[in-house]
Amino acid sequence: MKTGLPYERVVDVQRRREEYSRAHMYYRCGLALASVATLLVLAVILQNLLSTRGPSSSQSPVPSPRFPLARAQTCSDPCRVVLVESIPEGLVFNSSTANPAIYQAWLNLIGEARSSLDIASYYWTLTNKDTSTHDPTAHQGEDVLKRLGELAGKLSVRIAVNAQQDKSAADLKLLASYGADIRSVNMQELTSGILHTKFWIVDKKHIFIGSPNMDWRSLTQVKELGAVVYNCSCLAEDLGKIFEAYWFLGQSGQQIPTPWPSSFSTAYNKDTPLQLPLNGTQSSVYLSSSPPSLCAEGRTSDLQSVLSVIQDADEFVYIAVMSYIPIMEYSQPKRYWTEIDTQLRRVAYDKQVKVRMLISHWAHSQPFMVPFLKSLASIHDPKIKLDIQVRLFVVPSTPSQKQIPYARVNHNKYMVTDKIAYISTSNWSGDYFVNTAGSSLVVNQTASQTQEPTVQSQLRAVFERDWDSSYSTPIDHNFQGAI
Ligand SMILES: *[C@@H]1O[C@H](CO)[C@@H](O)[C@H](O)[C@H]1NC(C)=O
Ligand SMILES: *[C@@H]1O[C@H](CO)[C@@H](O)[C@H](O)[C@H]1NC(C)=O
Ligand SMILES: *[C@@H]1O[C@H](CO)[C@@H](O)[C@H](O)[C@H]1NC(C)=O
Ligand SMILES: *[C@@H]1O[C@H](CO)[C@@H](O)[C@H](O)[C@H]1NC(C)=O
Ligand SMILES: *[C@@H]1O[C@H](CO)[C@@H](O)[C@H](O)[C@H]1NC(C)=O
């Protein structure tokens, strides 16, 4: 979403690191999990051995796993989840599906804060001044900045930001002058990536996670989606561990620890998710993180979570992401990267799952994106039960909206299947899973146990609204680009 992405400048560092990272770090989260599983199995075996030795052995210390997987998994917090969106000015849907605004959600969170606010962010341009524009719709972003400033004067506000985006940021200078604590994370040095994560943690109790940057355009000129979870300290504490990792790396001269100290470890992952009530419906929930080198023990990597969510679907996989491209697009040389592409083709064939992909098209879309999407869309023949379909979503602009730089685009990043709601911060190309920092909320729910809808059913309704809208065009062999 920003000009001057740091990638070009880091090509040589990248090449050196990649050899290592590909072989070693790529599946580290998986290995960490495997070793936890091994510990558990050992503990169980030992426990069995000891207990068969009779009562006297009950005094012997039974080795326990490094962290209590089975015990800590249930959370009784009265968690409530709210799906929130930014709908760009002028976009009108012929649909009853509507969600509260991200702007409102941010104001609520600021209003709730009593002791602390931690924000993980890519860059900050909340005012017209930052973008050299004079757009009246910047007001909401400017309001958020003002309120954050007031908050920073009263309680602990910590901000982690991508290093190349911090220096000139007037917003951050302002917040620092009010007392906010700011650390720049040099992902370029650390992994040849960027810090692309967008989340908030309030009072170690409420969280926000989703696609919007700390940018006024994300509230009024760019289409975004996120989730707020209120009154959910179990989940907030776990997201806090991801934040602490950024905070740790934001100290100058820091290297990525291998392994991460155990305080960063988590018990919650795709195999042992947190069990908690979301609006009264029992749900399995975990947070995944990328890149793998930032995953402490127990953490599922974002790629593993994407692949497992797709694999787990029985009926449908609906994906809405800004960009989808099976390439390491910011590497030199660029390389073909097939993990997700292969998985989509696999479920479409093996399980006859219906795959729908709603991808954004705008002036800055990668030229390689459309041919690869056409290739996926060609996996479609109802007679033999192959059903992948792709549509491109275009946010139209008036002449004056066209003047706003890097706006008017569908920037959301989520996936919904017959079981899972997956809400993320990452574009879908290789870089975002291999060296860029991002994170995702994965909610696994069966049917609602109350009168309320599930977040999965709400997310599905958002997808269907957008898919069926006049802003979406099926990609076909004649597609020449929508802009
Ligand atoms: C996400 O993808 C789009 C389209 O390829 C690109 O313009 C944008 O810069 C990407 N975002 C980041 C932060 O790299
Ligand atoms: C909205 O959608 C309904 C149902 O698909 C259709 O009957 C109606 O004509 C549409 N209205 C507009 C303004 O597009
Ligand atoms: C969170 O819990 C507090 C205290 O029980 C309650 O007053 C508040 O309404 C809850 N918030 C939400 C969004 O459910
Ligand atoms: C969702 O939960 C079910 C039941 O616990 C489990 O079998 C399945 O693997 C979970 N799916 C994912 C993608 O985590
Ligand atoms: C959960 O509860 C909140 C607050 O009452 C409500 O705004 C939200 O829409 C509910 N979410 C779901 C998925 O029903």
Short mmCIF file of all heavy atoms in Angstrom, two decimals, residues 1 5 122 194 196 322-323 329-330 362 364 366 427 432, ligand 1:
data_model
loop_
_atom_site.label_atom_id
_atom_site.label_comp_id
_atom_site.label_asym_id
_atom_site.label_seq_id
_atom_site.Cartn_x
_atom_site.Cartn_y
_atom_site.Cartn_z
N MET A 1 0.80 -1.19 0.00
CA MET A 1 0.00 0.00 0.00
C MET A 1 0.85 1.26 0.00
O MET A 1 0.34 2.35 0.09
CB MET A 1 -0.90 0.04 1.24
CG MET A 1 -2.06 -0.92 1.17
SD MET A 1 -3.13 -0.66 -0.23
CE MET A 1 -3.64 1.04 0.06
N LEU A 5 8.59 0.39 -1.46
CA LEU A 5 8.77 -0.81 -0.67
C LEU A 5 10.25 -1.12 -0.57
O LEU A 5 11.01 -0.90 -1.50
CB LEU A 5 8.05 -1.98 -1.32
CG LEU A 5 6.55 -1.96 -1.08
CD1 LEU A 5 5.89 -3.07 -1.85
CD2 LEU A 5 6.25 -2.12 0.39
N TYR A 122 2.69 -1.45 10.15
CA TYR A 122 3.64 -1.37 9.04
C TYR A 122 4.12 0.07 8.87
O TYR A 122 5.31 0.38 8.94
CB TYR A 122 2.95 -1.92 7.80
CG TYR A 122 3.68 -1.80 6.49
CD1 TYR A 122 5.08 -1.80 6.44
CD2 TYR A 122 2.97 -1.72 5.30
CE1 TYR A 122 5.74 -1.70 5.21
CE2 TYR A 122 3.63 -1.63 4.08
CZ TYR A 122 5.00 -1.61 4.05
OH TYR A 122 5.64 -1.51 2.85
N ILE A 194 9.52 -7.40 5.66
CA ILE A 194 9.03 -6.19 6.32
C ILE A 194 8.13 -6.60 7.49
O ILE A 194 7.70 -7.75 7.57
CB ILE A 194 8.23 -5.28 5.35
CG1 ILE A 194 7.06 -6.04 4.72
CG2 ILE A 194 9.15 -4.70 4.27
CD1 ILE A 194 6.15 -5.19 3.84
N HIS A 196 4.68 -6.33 8.44
CA HIS A 196 3.47 -6.01 7.70
C HIS A 196 2.22 -6.26 8.56
O HIS A 196 1.10 -6.07 8.11
CB HIS A 196 3.45 -6.88 6.43
CG HIS A 196 2.40 -6.52 5.44
ND1 HIS A 196 1.40 -7.39 5.09
CD2 HIS A 196 2.20 -5.41 4.72
CE1 HIS A 196 0.61 -6.82 4.20
NE2 HIS A 196 1.07 -5.62 3.95
N MET A 322 -6.09 -9.30 -1.39
CA MET A 322 -5.74 -8.22 -2.30
C MET A 322 -4.94 -8.76 -3.47
O MET A 322 -5.27 -8.54 -4.62
CB MET A 322 -4.93 -7.19 -1.55
CG MET A 322 -4.38 -6.14 -2.48
SD MET A 322 -3.71 -4.80 -1.52
CE MET A 322 -2.97 -3.86 -2.80
N SER A 323 -3.86 -9.47 -3.17
CA SER A 323 -3.09 -10.00 -4.29
C SER A 323 -2.79 -11.46 -4.06
O SER A 323 -2.58 -11.91 -2.93
CB SER A 323 -1.81 -9.20 -4.51
OG SER A 323 -0.92 -9.43 -3.47
N GLU A 329 7.66 -12.65 -5.06
CA GLU A 329 7.70 -11.50 -5.97
C GLU A 329 8.74 -10.46 -5.60
O GLU A 329 9.09 -9.62 -6.40
CB GLU A 329 6.31 -10.88 -6.15
CG GLU A 329 5.65 -10.45 -4.86
CD GLU A 329 4.30 -9.76 -5.09
OE1 GLU A 329 4.17 -9.01 -6.07
OE2 GLU A 329 3.39 -9.95 -4.27
N TYR A 330 9.19 -10.48 -4.35
CA TYR A 330 10.19 -9.48 -3.96
C TYR A 330 11.59 -10.07 -3.84
O TYR A 330 12.48 -9.43 -3.30
CB TYR A 330 9.77 -8.79 -2.67
CG TYR A 330 8.42 -8.11 -2.77
CD1 TYR A 330 7.30 -8.61 -2.13
CD2 TYR A 330 8.27 -6.97 -3.56
CE1 TYR A 330 6.06 -7.99 -2.24
CE2 TYR A 330 7.04 -6.35 -3.68
CZ TYR A 330 5.94 -6.86 -3.02
OH TYR A 330 4.72 -6.24 -3.14
N TRP A 362 -6.18 -3.40 -9.43
CA TRP A 362 -6.06 -1.94 -9.41
C TRP A 362 -4.85 -1.56 -10.23
O TRP A 362 -4.16 -2.41 -10.80
CB TRP A 362 -6.01 -1.41 -7.98
CG TRP A 362 -4.78 -1.74 -7.16
CD1 TRP A 362 -4.03 -2.89 -7.24
CD2 TRP A 362 -4.17 -0.93 -6.17
NE1 TRP A 362 -3.01 -2.84 -6.33
CE2 TRP A 362 -3.06 -1.65 -5.66
CE3 TRP A 362 -4.45 0.34 -5.64
CZ2 TRP A 362 -2.23 -1.13 -4.67
CZ3 TRP A 362 -3.61 0.83 -4.64
CH2 TRP A 362 -2.53 0.10 -4.17
N HIS A 364 -1.96 -0.82 -9.56
CA HIS A 364 -0.64 -1.33 -9.17
C HIS A 364 -0.58 -2.85 -9.12
O HIS A 364 0.35 -3.41 -8.54
CB HIS A 364 -0.25 -0.76 -7.80
CG HIS A 364 -0.33 0.74 -7.73
ND1 HIS A 364 0.62 1.54 -8.32
CD2 HIS A 364 -1.25 1.58 -7.20
CE1 HIS A 364 0.29 2.82 -8.12
NE2 HIS A 364 -0.85 2.86 -7.45
N GLN A 366 0.25 -6.59 -9.87
CA GLN A 366 1.37 -7.26 -10.52
C GLN A 366 0.93 -7.81 -11.88
O GLN A 366 -0.07 -8.53 -11.95
CB GLN A 366 1.74 -8.47 -9.64
CG GLN A 366 3.00 -8.32 -8.88
CD GLN A 366 4.18 -8.83 -9.67
OE1 GLN A 366 4.04 -9.16 -10.85
NE2 GLN A 366 5.33 -8.86 -9.04
N ASN A 427 -0.75 -10.33 2.20
CA ASN A 427 -0.98 -10.61 0.79
C ASN A 427 -0.65 -12.09 0.55
O ASN A 427 0.15 -12.67 1.28
CB ASN A 427 -0.03 -9.79 -0.09
CG ASN A 427 -0.52 -8.38 -0.38
OD1 ASN A 427 -1.72 -8.09 -0.31
ND2 ASN A 427 0.41 -7.51 -0.74
N TYR A 432 5.22 -13.19 1.72
CA TYR A 432 4.46 -12.94 2.94
C TYR A 432 4.47 -14.13 3.89
O TYR A 432 4.14 -13.99 5.06
CB TYR A 432 3.03 -12.52 2.60
CG TYR A 432 3.04 -11.14 1.96
CD1 TYR A 432 3.20 -10.99 0.60
CD2 TYR A 432 2.98 -10.01 2.76
CE1 TYR A 432 3.28 -9.73 0.03
CE2 TYR A 432 3.06 -8.76 2.20
CZ TYR A 432 3.21 -8.62 0.84
OH TYR A 432 3.31 -7.38 0.29
C1 LIG B 1 0.23 -6.21 -1.44
O1 LIG B 1 0.07 -6.52 -2.80
C2 LIG B 1 -0.18 -5.43 -3.65
C3 LIG B 1 -0.44 -5.93 -5.04
O2 LIG B 1 0.58 -6.78 -5.48
C4 LIG B 1 0.98 -4.45 -3.62
O3 LIG B 1 0.72 -3.33 -4.42
C5 LIG B 1 1.16 -4.01 -2.19
O4 LIG B 1 2.27 -3.15 -2.12
C6 LIG B 1 1.36 -5.21 -1.31
N1 LIG B 1 1.51 -4.78 0.03
C7 LIG B 1 2.68 -4.75 0.59
C8 LIG B 1 2.74 -4.16 1.92
O5 LIG B 1 3.67 -5.22 0.07
#
